[in-house]
Amino acid sequence: MITIKVPATSANIGPGFDSLGIALQTYLTLEIHEETAEWVVEHTMGVAIPHDATHFIVATARQLAPDLTPHRLVVKSDIPLARGLGSSSSALLAGLAMANELANLQLTADDLLTYATKLEGHPDNVAPALFGGGVAAYFDGQHVYHAPIHFPDNLQFVTYIPDTQLLTAAARAALPAQLDFKTTVAAGAIGNTLIAALNANDFETAKHLIEADKFHESARQHLVPHLAQIRTLAHDLGIVGTYLSGAGPTVITVAPAQAAQKLLTALKAAGLPGTCQQLQLDTTGLTIQKED
Ligand code: HSE
């Protein structure tokens, strides 16, 4: 059996729109069992998700290797769908990694990243899902340039996952068609300084920049009113570092352990519809384990 495990991811981290992301310790697991006459995908993700070759993971794998021999697969995932935690990127990478293994394509991690980014359109979920930790990445249409971002060790990611989905397409439709030059320069400076502050282990500076995005959050505010609500709740506790995870609707606050626990308690007491949990950074990324 081959087991492919892919972490959840959170993109943007505030000002890093379409370029910054982190991997989190919540996973999609794909088990590849025996060969079968037709593809069989066992899962408990609901009736809307197919059990045959039309399953997204199989279809993705077959895009890369069309003649792949069918197998029985078992898919388990703790990553909620359409919540801004990279569920589609994790499934996409699981499919590509499966094709790479079963067809012995010998593709490198960079090859998989380029292929996955071409399918996704941007690398901010797929890069951290593949490599783990924090990643900054830029796709020029051909090549993905990427580098790790350091996150101070004691940070926790307080995560509010609403009960309702928000499709990325809807969240992207809310974005402005243009930004003026001055705003764009400021938005870029904020992202650059955030990365430098994190790499310098200076979370005191970084936390303010996480909340200073000028690319996307204000345009999406009407879709995610709980973002402002959680930010205010955190500020009332003296905690700064809240952002919209990917295209939303999940909201994450980055905070040292003690503050994170305080915020989690307050969030649960606020009774927002959904799940509140503390997540840690995954530093490993996609893993493949082989057993006889
Ligand atoms: N950077 C993307 C966005 C993440 O915010 O739309 C979603 O895939």
Side-chain angles (χ1 to χ4, degrees), residues 3-291:
T3 305
I4 298 171
K5 194 173 161 189
V6 195
T9 46
S10 172
N12 299 332
I13 327 291
F17 182 69
D18 277 1
S19 66
L20 303 187
I22 49 170
L24 294 168
Q25 290 182 18
T26 290
Y27 298 93
L28 175 143
T29 308
L30 168 66
E31 293 173 5
I32 308 170
H33 291 268
E34 73 278 6
E35 288 187 14
T36 42
E38 304 288 342
W39 288 97
V40 177
V41 186
E42 296 176 5
H43 66 78
T44 55
M45 292 169 187
V47 287
I49 300 189
H51 290 272
D52 57 12
T54 62
H55 187 282
F56 180 71
I57 290 179
V58 180
T60 305
R62 293 177 76 206
Q63 263 182 275
L64 193 56
D67 298 328
L68 219 51
T69 307
H71 282 72
R72 179 173 70 87
L73 308 177
V74 178
V75 182
K76 295 172 193 158
S77 183
D78 290 325
I79 310 173
L81 301 180
R83 297 299 204 288
L85 288 169
S87 61
S88 68
S89 293
S90 63
L92 181 76
L93 284 172
L96 297 179
M98 173 170 81
N100 197 26
E101 288 301 311
L102 294 182
N104 197 19
L105 301 175
Q106 309 276 330
L107 297 177
T108 63
D110 270 14
D111 294 334
L112 290 176
L113 176 61
T114 303
Y115 200 91
T117 303
K118 281 183 178 162
L119 293 176
E120 274 280 287
H122 32 86
D124 50 346
N125 287 109
V126 285
L130 201 49
F131 300 119
V135 181
Y138 166 62
F139 178 50
D140 68 1
Q142 292 296 323
H143 182 78
V144 183
Y145 300 89
H146 61 91
I149 311 168
H150 169 76
F151 271 82
D153 286 340
N154 66 337
L155 292 179
Q156 301 283 315
F157 298 84
V158 182
T159 307
Y160 164 58
I161 308 168
D163 279 340
T164 47
Q165 300 187 339
L166 174 57
L167 294 177
T168 299
R172 289 188 86 83
L175 297 172
Q178 290 185 339
L179 281 184
D180 68 83
F181 186 72
K182 203 172 150 197
T183 307
T184 312
V185 170
I190 293 163
N192 295 340
T193 313
L194 169 61
I195 294 172
L198 287 170
N199 281 346
N201 232 2
D202 178 4
F203 188 66
E204 279 306 303
T205 298
K207 68 184 188 184
H208 297 287
L209 300 166
I210 287 173
E211 295 199 356
D213 161 71
K214 290 187 185 293
F215 285 119
H216 69 113
E217 285 185 357
S218 64
R220 288 170 163 170
Q221 214 167 353
H222 63 290
L223 299 169
V224 286
H226 52 273
L227 170 62
Q229 201 184 336
I230 294 172
R231 207 166 255 165
T232 303
L233 200 150
H235 288 179
D236 288 347
L237 296 168
I239 300 166
V240 181
T242 299
Y243 69 94
L244 183 65
S245 179
T250 291
V251 167
I252 292 185
T253 304
V254 190
Q258 224 179 344
Q261 189 51 50
K262 216 161 52 162
L263 177 61
L264 188 65
T265 306
L267 271 181
K268 286 184 175 166
L272 292 166
T275 313
C276 302
Q277 60 191 116
Q278 257 188 71
L279 294 173
Q280 277 88 41
L281 205 64
D282 165 283
T283 52
T284 314
L286 184 148
T287 57
I288 299 174
Q289 200 185 342
K290 296 176 191 177
E291 293 164 33

